[in-house]
Amino acid sequence: MDMDKLVSLCKRRGFIFPSSEIYGGINGFWDYGPLGVELKRNIKDAWWKDTITTRDDVVGLDCSIIMHPKVWEASGHVGGFSDPMVDCRDCKGRFRADQLTFILFVLSTEGGAAPAKNIFFFGSGNELEVAEQHAKKIDKLTNGVKPGESLTRTSGTFLDLDPEVRAKFTCPTCNKEATLTEPRNFNLMFESHAGAIADEANKVYLRPETAQGIFANFRNVVDTGRVKTPFGIAQVGKSFRNEINPRNFTFRSREFEQMELEFFCHPEESAHWYKYWRDTRYQWYVTHGLKSSKLTLRDHDPDELAFYSKATADIEYDFPFGISELEGIAHRGDYDLSQHQKFSGKDLSYFDEDRWEKEKAGMGMTSFKQYLEKNKGAEKPGYPYQYVPHVIEPSAGADRGTLAFLCEAYQEDEVGGELRTVLKFHPRLAPIKAAVFPLVKKDGMPEKAEAIYRELKRHFNVFFDEKGAIGRRYRRQDEAGTPFGITVDGQTLQDDTVTFRDRDSCTQWRVPAAGVLQAVRDLLDGQPIPGGEKVSEGSE
Ligand code: GAP
């Protein structure tokens, strides 16, 4: 699938626009148009329903975007949430040092190494891929390496090189030599000031993740929410990161939405819950239409893990620009609650009353007395009844999810000898659920079609279209990803049946007009296409 085609369809059909486009746009910010906002909302709603509403063990939360600055000290974001950044002194271009890749050619002779034959830097995009193409050209040019000479090639990122080698390199934007600075750490948090005076004391941050609001409210939820471990607190909301290099359409933006769950459990049960959420989240994407052949569940190697994390896995999707992260599932141990406990001075441990009662009942008097003896002076029993819960964190991006579902849905196929572009969304995610069409604008067809449209509109987002040839109207809805089309024609006026068209197969059936609402409802619930007389198959 060609990414440019998808970006242009998103613009043309009102899924996604560059933010502030009339002023030339602003890098890293995007707006969702009428179809895009429905698609993203359906994704967030499906996540919310599957993660919270239909479960007994997860509650929701909606925290403020700006929080006490100490939250970000405790979380480690003030000190550590940064990317190594390189500037060009000449053109003022700015690059992430870990994304600035190079290919270095060294021509060696028998007598010793000659100077570097050539060096390439690429600042962004599919760096190595582009570099490889250039490399092939170089290889061709150097096919004529003389006897006694050999050409070696190494590659890596800016960070892999010695400072004196880095100093010589060429800027990938302006192509000037020796203009790049040494890498410097650049904090990704957006800063602002709360209050009238813009000084250090009033400095605040836009949250770079929604998770910390959940940890900061852990005590509140435990004290008021009647929750018992294992339980989760979930949140959907905007996060902000001043990404050095926003790219790949909405994939890496500076303002984006996250769907995060913090699942709190007993330390001894955490390995079980980690595996549970890792598998459940992977399956969620498959259920909603991402092909498992395009999804990877990648376990992090031990050297990739944060020092506090016992295990982390990424769910990755094969985007047109490469395999990239959709969601991370991390076993964070008790790191976050312990940090907030330390920085706030508040007790964030949890007394597991159920476990305590169960153990007490099973202990027998002698061992219970022994236990109390051993824990003398303690007001409450200690571990394993009183503990700082361990956290399993599935953290998903709503915008990345939206982009993956768009990429997967985009298809070009042929119907009745005609090429069409179609977005084959899962019906649950489709922005418009059904479109209603009068075949022609006469003989009472528009009135009948409108009555059906009004009935459906009370329940779902549906669309009414009476303009143009019916084939073109179908194509327009195919491009919007509308799964079902309902057409009122001459026969409707005689027997009160309509045609019901399936977007993916283009097959049409005749069904009673009175059954349309139930049919759409069943289809959205995953039931099969309604029976009835087949009118046409795969053509129109
Ligand atoms: N609380 C953990 C956390 O925030 P993360 O891996 O930094 O972890 C989680 O982010 C998810 O948020 C990512 O998998 C991705 O889907 C989304 N995300 C992160 N940065 C993003 C960006 N700049 N643009 C769009 N989505 C982003």
Side-chain angles (χ1 to χ4, degrees):
M1 203 270 293
D2 180 345
M3 200 59 197
D4 290 342
K5 281 189 182 172
L6 181 71
V7 174
S8 115
L9 177 112
C10 283
K11 171 89 201 300
R12 181 159 45 83
R13 293 310 311 263
F15 280 93
I16 301 172
F17 308 122
S19 165
S20 331
E21 201 183 6
I22 56 168
Y23 293 102
I26 169 166
N27 198 9
F29 298 90
W30 299 92
D31 295 339
Y32 287 79
L35 288 179
V37 72
E38 293 292 338
L39 173 64
K40 188 159 115 171
R41 180 172 294 271
N42 290 341
I43 292 167
K44 290 185 289 179
D45 285 351
W47 183 90
W48 190 269
K49 198 165 172 198
D50 296 345
T51 311
I52 299 151
T53 322
T54 55
R55 296 182 64 101
D56 300 324
D57 55 356
V58 181
V59 293
L61 201 63
D62 184 20
C63 307
S64 63
I65 284 170
I66 292 177
M67 300 171 72
H68 195 290
K70 273 213 151 174
V71 167
W72 308 112
E73 283 174 38
S75 67
H77 284 85
V78 168
F81 192 54
S82 53
D83 280 340
M85 174 202 79
V86 169
D87 286 311
C88 171
R89 291 188 204 89
D90 200 74
C91 71
K92 310 294 175 217
R94 176 165 279 189
F95 318 96
R96 258 177 70 173
D98 56 335
Q99 289 175 354
L100 209 51
T101 43
F102 70 87
I103 290 193
L104 171 68
F105 293 88
V106 179
L107 185 67
S108 306
T109 57
E110 267 159 14
K117 178 89 179 167
N118 218 331
I119 297 159
F120 282 94
F121 263 125
F122 297 93
S124 63
N126 359 334
E127 304 86 8
L128 269 181
E129 210 178 287
V130 179
E132 284 293 346
Q133 284 163 15
H134 284 260
K136 273 189 200 129
K137 279 188 211 153
I138 297 280
D139 278 346
K140 248 191 225 152
L141 287 177
T142 52
N143 266 347
V145 171
K146 295 189 193 86
E149 287 178 344
S150 65
L151 190 70
T152 55
R153 194 176 75 179
T154 45
S155 59
T157 79
F158 200 71
L159 296 173
D160 302 326
L161 296 164
D162 292 333
E164 56 283 12
V165 185
R166 296 204 275 242
K168 290 186 200 147
F169 278 110
T170 306
C171 168
T173 306
C174 69
N175 286 322
K176 293 239 169 66
E177 252 176 65
T179 55
L180 298 180
T181 63
E182 269 295 278
R184 280 176 298 194
N185 278 338
F186 171 77
N187 196 295
L188 298 186
M189 280 198 294
F190 277 101
E191 291 176 11
S192 187
H193 294 92
I197 302 167
D199 64 5
E200 200 55 28
N202 283 340
K203 189 151 97 182
V204 289
Y205 303 98
L206 304 195
R207 68 180 176 202
E209 61 172 23
T210 63
Q212 296 305 322
I214 296 179
F215 297 126
N217 276 291
F218 175 75
R219 184 85 276 149
N220 282 338
V221 176
V222 167
D223 290 348
T224 59
R226 306 179 123 252
V227 287
K228 289 176 178 181
T229 56
F231 74 93
I233 309 178
Q235 170 161 226
V236 174
K238 290 260 178 161
S239 292
F240 303 81
R241 295 183 190 176
N242 197 1
E243 298 283 358
I244 294 168
N245 195 2
R247 59 186 174 146
N248 291 330
F249 200 20
T250 57
F251 181 83
R252 191 175 300 287
S253 310
R254 290 180 165 145
E255 176 177 340
F256 54 96
E257 266 183 290
Q258 291 186 305
M259 310 185 288
E260 296 202 288
L261 166 67
E262 308 302 327
F263 197 79
F264 302 95
C265 57
H266 194 283
E268 283 155 28
E269 292 172 0
S270 57
H272 160 79
W273 285 111
Y274 170 69
K275 187 173 179 327
Y276 169 86
W277 281 111
R278 179 180 165 277
D279 298 346
T280 303
R281 292 302 305 147
Y282 176 86
Q283 195 50 46
W284 191 83
Y285 290 104
V286 177
T287 304
H288 290 91
L290 298 191
K291 275 191 220 74
S292 48
S293 57
K294 288 197 162 188
L295 280 171
T296 320
L297 190 52
R298 190 180 70 80
D299 291 311
H300 283 206
D301 291 334
D303 61 350
E304 274 182 276
L305 295 176
F307 71 90
Y308 50 78
S309 176
K310 296 199 161 41
T312 296
D314 286 344
I315 300 174
E316 297 176 332
Y317 179 70
D318 190 0
F319 287 98
F321 45 81
I323 295 174
S324 306
E325 178 190 327
L326 260 188
E327 169 163 352
I329 298 101
H331 184 321
R332 301 182 60 89
D334 64 3
Y335 178 73
D336 305 276
L337 288 179
S338 299
Q339 282 291 103
H340 285 296
Q341 193 163 250
K342 194 161 112 197
F343 278 71
S344 68
K346 302 283 182 324
D347 176 14
L348 298 182
S349 66
Y350 174 84
F351 175 49
D352 198 332
E353 214 168 324
D354 282 1
R355 186 178 276 255
W356 172 236
E357 290 300 331
K358 227 191 278 165
E359 293 291 316
K360 219 165 58 172
M363 260 181 195
M365 259 342 258
T366 321
S367 47
F368 183 48
K369 273 191 191 140
Q370 277 167 357
Y371 180 87
L372 288 181
E373 190 62 29
K374 221 169 97 195
N375 293 278
K376 222 194 264 167
E379 287 197 356
K380 279 180 185 168
Y383 189 84
Y385 313 106
Q386 176 93 24
Y387 51 87
V388 175
H390 277 202
V391 170
I392 310 303
E393 179 194 67
S395 173
D399 305 85
R400 282 199 193 166
T402 305
L403 187 59
F405 287 117
L406 274 164
C407 290
E408 183 81 39
Y410 186 99
Q411 285 182 32
E412 288 168 355
D413 59 15
E414 211 183 289
V415 178
E418 227 187 276
L419 269 184
R420 72 164 179 167
T421 302
V422 53
L423 292 179
K424 293 188 173 176
F425 293 125
H426 186 288
R428 194 181 186 197
L429 306 184
I432 300 172
K433 304 302 181 198
V436 186
F437 315 104
L439 185 64
V440 288
K441 252 165 108 180
K442 58 180 188 187
D443 300 335
M445 289 181 215
E447 291 76 7
K448 176 70 186 168
E450 194 176 342
I452 295 174
Y453 164 75
R454 289 275 157 231
E455 189 194 10
L456 293 175
K457 187 79 178 162
R458 285 170 46 223
H459 305 274
F460 321 107
N461 191 26
V462 289
F463 192 78
F464 179 76
D465 189 2
E466 56 178 5
K467 287 198 198 90
I470 189 72
R472 289 195 52 203
R473 282 182 271 166
Y474 287 155
R475 295 293 163 272
R476 276 204 290 268
Q477 289 308 311
D478 289 342
E479 267 194 350
T482 308
F484 313 113
I486 295 142
T487 306
V488 167
D489 56 15
Q491 197 176 324
T492 312
L493 308 174
Q494 292 158 21
D495 62 6
D496 209 25
T497 61
V498 293
T499 65
F500 201 98
R501 173 184 182 267
D502 169 50
R503 172 199 63 200
D504 297 353
S505 63
C506 296
T507 302
Q508 294 189 36
W509 294 263
R510 281 215 87 80
V511 301
V516 164
L517 174 62
Q518 193 54 41
V520 176
R521 195 171 267 151
D522 290 348
L523 285 161
L524 294 176
D525 257 3
Q527 307 290 323
I529 299 273
E533 180 202 345
K534 212 176 259 181
V535 182
S536 69
E537 203 165 348
S539 65
E540 11 228 43

